[in-house]
Amino acid sequence: ALAIMLAGCATEATFTSDDQLDTIESAATVCGSGPTVKGVDVSYYQGNIDWAAAKADGVEFAFVRISDGLGTIDTKFEQNWAGTKTAGILRGAYQFFRPNQDALAQADLFLDKLGTLEANDLPPVIDVEAAGGLGPAAVAAQVGIWIDRVKAATGMTPIIYTGFYFWRDSVGAAEFPGSPLWHAQYSSAECPNISPPWTDWAIWQFTASGRVAGIAGDVDTNRFNGTRDQLLALTSQAPVTNTCQPLAPEGGTIDDSDACFTGGGPAQFLRKPTD
């Protein structure tokens, strides 16, 4: 398991006129402590990439797109998937998720293109930034279907890519225990502000206009919150240890904030106890 030490901090932030009402809420940020690791995420928009040059420029990990929903299969996926491995860059795959399309079909397409994960491959990623006209409960339900399918097939808990406002407003701050947060926020600030229910972030996409050797033009650039060894601990090579125990026959207390808790059932029928 990856352990990341975090500290809360307050930073000054600049907001557009549309964001003024969120100034107080956005002022509370979550800072990572210690070193970070440089990474990128790419699709066919970046064209042909010299991954050896990117590695020499400090890129230690990369996420490559498989598809945009069911409609667009990324024509550079196989090339980028192989190229990152050859260059010694830790690799992961992501899918731009369309909640208004069949979630199982999207997951199965993703898994078919991904194939078998190899040692040091990063967890699969679901890119959640479009609602497709659905309400928060419906979007959350579709995301859950995708995550369950991909987790069952790969044995790895998927990473969720999203932004503060989208997750809060369009997914309803839904909880998916165990899924690390890949947070999108383009800022020069020291620390990002992340959406509930997460209290920390694993990866921060801090710019869409980064420049990296071997990649022509702008590229999404990211920071992993920790060391390279900690990043390796997220990969498929990391051993899985189940420390969760069943309840005793006489019963016990279940805390939904515990790492061993996995929620289920239709979200509209779940509620928090008040006592």
Side-chain angles (χ1 to χ4, degrees):
L2 176 65
I4 303 173
M5 295 183 64
L6 299 166
C9 66
T11 62
E12 294 183 1
T14 300
F15 302 92
T16 67
S17 58
D18 292 336
D19 291 331
Q20 290 304 313
L21 293 178
D22 296 310
T23 300
I24 296 175
E25 186 171 349
S26 299
T29 60
V30 176
C31 302
S33 62
T36 59
V37 178
K38 179 180 179 180
V40 296
D41 58 275
V42 300
S43 68
Y44 71 77
Y45 292 114
Q46 277 68 50
N48 294 322
I49 296 174
D50 183 342
W51 285 109
K55 171 72 172 178
D57 197 23
V59 172
E60 294 288 348
F61 70 93
F63 286 97
V64 299
R65 190 179 72 162
I66 283 182
S67 77
D68 180 333
L70 297 172
T72 301
I73 309 301
D74 199 293
T75 56
K76 294 292 184 183
F77 171 71
E78 288 83 2
Q79 181 177 320
N80 287 327
W81 191 243
T84 49
K85 186 78 169 181
T86 299
I89 293 173
L90 300 178
R91 64 183 184 176
Y94 76 94
Q95 182 179 58
F96 190 102
F97 184 66
R98 297 288 181 179
N100 57 337
Q101 298 177 7
D102 188 314
L104 284 179
Q106 289 182 81
D108 288 343
L109 183 154
F110 177 88
L111 292 166
D112 179 63
K113 294 293 183 181
L114 180 64
T116 302
L117 290 172
E118 299 178 10
N120 295 339
D121 286 344
L122 291 162
V125 175
I126 179 171
D127 179 342
V128 186
E129 55 179 304
L134 303 182
V139 174
Q142 291 290 89
V143 170
I145 290 170
W146 192 98
I147 286 176
D148 288 346
R149 180 73 139 211
V150 172
K151 182 177 181 180
T154 64
M156 303 183 77
T157 301
I159 295 169
I160 296 175
Y161 169 99
T162 196
F164 178 95
Y165 296 104
F166 183 84
W167 193 263
R168 184 196 65 180
D169 299 338
S170 299
V171 196
E175 297 188 32
F176 294 95
S179 283
L181 171 64
W182 179 1
H183 173 72
Q185 180 184 356
Y186 303 148
S187 172
S188 60
E190 290 288 331
C191 315
N193 59 296
I194 63 177
S195 175
W198 286 283
T199 57
D200 61 5
W201 51 275
I203 303 168
W204 176 13
Q205 184 188 79
F206 63 92
T207 183
S209 54
R211 290 303 178 107
V212 171
I215 301 178
D218 295 339
V219 64
D220 294 340
T221 309
N222 305 271
R223 298 185 183 108
F224 171 74
N225 192 1
T227 65
R228 191 175 190 278
D229 285 344
Q230 288 174 311
L231 180 59
L232 276 168
L234 280 181
T235 67
S236 53
Q237 188 179 32
V240 177
T241 303
N242 183 12
T243 59
C244 303
Q245 300 297 323
L247 289 176
E250 63 271 19
T253 300
I254 296 175
D255 183 348
D256 65 359
S257 66
D258 189 276
C260 293
F261 177 85
T262 301
Q268 65 266 35
F269 299 122
L270 300 179
R271 65 178 179 84
K272 295 278 189 180
T274 57
D275 56 355

